[in-house]
Amino acid sequence: MFIFTLKRLVSGVILLFVMSTATFFLAHAAIPDPTLGLLGSAATPDAQAALAEKIGTDRPVLVQYLDWLGGLVQGDLGTSWKNFQPVGAQIALKLPVTLSVVTFAIVLSAVLGGLLGVLAGLRPDTWIDRVVKAAAVILFALPGFWVALVLVMAFAVQLQWFPAVGYVPPGQSIPDWLRSITLPAISLALGAVVMIAEQLRNAIIQADGQDYMRTLRSRGLSRPRLVTHLLRNSAPPSLTILALMFVGLLSGAIIVEQIFALPGVGPLTQSSSQNGDIPMLLGITVITVVFVVIINLLLDVLLGWINPKVRVK
């Protein structure tokens, strides 16, 4: 298990290096002169030249990359070109907001999707099975931002159960914090819920028809123990979907945070893109990839624990 985990960790580090390098050069290719966006209406030739010298964009791109990579290896994400504050410190202020929404969405997706998937898988061709399949088609066809706006109109404006916009830190009030992230989390989770439910349903139905399940039934195992075996063999595909959903939810949070006016990484990403703040964009990318690597590592370890064949592969 140690060698298995070590290999996954090494592959994660390689992924981080490749993604960071690709993002660096793509960002510099997409924004050849960031001084225009950073200065705005004050972008005179002299001001641009002075700013380029200050932020180092007057040097060759390869030299800039080596300097940035050297800082990254030491844990330094660089300095923002917009306000000249440390990138890591600014992301650290915004990241808890995004992670709280995404984590809540993941929990909702796992619990609701798992429950619906199990019910539909154990009772195929019943009304709940048809509801899950219909919901999967409908929710995937609806744009996420439209779903978020409907939730705001229904539960914030009409019923006034939740705030329409804003964020309350958990240190200020736990109940108000939960209320402030509930609608954004539901907006992110709806698509993931039906995807996990559909995946788990199909996996349970497929596993239920295998020879080993017939053997277990012939041994007279109780219904709860049979369901436990079904879930153990059906869990890996659903866990994989859940890990992939984490990446999608991080991307979706950028739009959702705009709709609900949450001070998370989403608005920071948008403003950095508009201003040409490449170090901030690179920092956000690195942090995102780190979380993706961690989630995938945990997934691989969990799958290896559930199914020892995975460790051999």
Side-chain angles (χ1 to χ4, degrees), residues 37-40 55 79-85 90 271 275 277:
L38 293 168
L39 290 172
I55 62 180
T79 302
S80 169
W81 288 349
K82 184 64 178 178
N83 54 25
F84 300 101
Q85 298 295 319
Q90 295 182 72
S271 62
N275 296 328
D277 193 351

Side-chain angles (χ1 to χ4, degrees), residues 132-144 147 189-199 241 245:
V132 169
K133 290 189 288 187
V137 175
I138 294 173
L139 288 177
F140 276 117
L142 296 177
V147 174
L190 285 178
V193 166
V194 294
M195 178 176 286
I196 292 171
E198 182 72 10
Q199 180 66 43
I241 291 294
M245 283 290 97

Side-chain angles (χ1 to χ4, degrees), residues 40-114:
S41 59
T44 63
D46 291 340
Q48 288 181 255
L51 181 59
E53 182 179 0
K54 183 175 182 179
I55 62 180
T57 54
D58 57 340
R59 300 174 300 164
V61 175
L62 184 58
V63 175
Q64 298 180 52
Y65 168 71
L66 293 176
D67 286 347
W68 176 78
L69 184 62
L72 180 63
V73 172
Q74 301 176 33
D76 182 10
L77 295 177
T79 302
S80 169
W81 288 349
K82 184 64 178 178
N83 54 25
F84 300 101
Q85 298 295 319
V87 168
Q90 295 182 72
I91 295 177
L93 292 176
K94 306 291 185 179
L95 192 60
V97 180
T98 301
L99 287 182
S100 62
V101 174
V102 172
T103 302
F104 195 8
I106 287 288
V107 172
L108 289 175
S109 303
V111 174
L112 297 179

Side-chain angles (χ1 to χ4, degrees), residues 115-137:
L115 179 61
L116 292 175
V118 169
L119 293 176
L122 295 178
R123 296 176 175 84
D125 298 325
T126 60
W127 68 269
I128 190 168
D129 186 23
R130 290 190 288 269
V131 167
V132 169
K133 290 189 288 187
V137 175

Side-chain angles (χ1 to χ4, degrees), residues 12 18 24 30 33 68 93 100 106-107 123 131 144 146 162-163 172 175 182 201 205 210 220 227 229 240 265 308:
V18 171
F24 181 92
D33 188 3
W68 176 78
L93 292 176
S100 62
I106 287 288
V107 172
R123 296 176 175 84
V131 167
W146 185 86
F162 304 98
Q172 179 176 331
T182 296
R201 168 204 176 268
I205 293 176
Q210 299 297 317
V227 172
H229 282 282
T240 302
V265 177

Side-chain angles (χ1 to χ4, degrees), residues 97 164-167 184 255-264 267:
V97 180
V165 295
Y167 175 78
I255 299 176
V256 169
E257 287 177 349
Q258 298 286 336
I259 295 175
F260 291 94
L262 300 178

